[in-house]
Amino acid sequence: MSTATASVATTAAPRYAKQLASHLGRRSEIREIGEDIAIVLTVGECRLHSTATALEMTATAATEDDLQTVTKVVGSHLERFGQRNELTVNWNFEK
């Protein structure tokens, strides 16, 4: 399993997590796991965890290529939604 993580600084993490889930949920499965949200794409999934200061994201997939797809989809949507607040997603890929 391939994994990547990102921590995006924002005080509006719950709002962005909900917006991502709502938008991506049109074509993907959304699971609520406690206070976290998991967006399940066909190639992998991304778990969202909101804190007071950041949206913590953990993406997983079976292959590196699939992981690239998950991180690109979730990251680009979040950056677009947070454009006004200049949100930037920097993924850390685990070896």
Side-chain angles (χ1 to χ4, degrees):
M1 200 60 112
S2 298
T3 303
T5 58
S7 179
V8 180
T10 177
T11 57
R15 180 174 62 89
Y16 285 120
K18 186 175 180 179
Q19 188 175 11
L20 277 169
S22 176
H23 182 76
L24 295 174
R26 296 179 187 146
R27 293 184 220 132
S28 307
E29 179 184 351
I30 303 299
R31 294 184 191 144
E32 291 187 26
I33 305 166
E35 294 180 10
D36 294 352
I37 296 172
I39 300 170
V40 183
L41 305 171
T42 57
V43 295
E45 75 175 53
C46 186
R47 191 164 180 165
L48 311 174
H49 176 75
S50 299
T51 70
T53 58
L55 179 59
E56 307 287 340
M57 301 187 295
T58 303
T60 56
T63 69
E64 293 289 327
D65 287 342
D66 288 346
L67 183 61
Q68 289 289 333
T69 300
V70 173
T71 57
K72 182 178 178 182
V73 168
V74 176
S76 66
H77 279 87
L78 180 58
E79 286 179 345
R80 191 173 70 221
F81 297 151
Q83 185 175 10
R84 185 178 312 150
N85 295 319
E86 299 179 0
L87 295 187
T88 302
V89 179
N90 293 309
W91 292 99
N92 298 306
F93 294 86
E94 297 178 11
K95 297 278 179 186

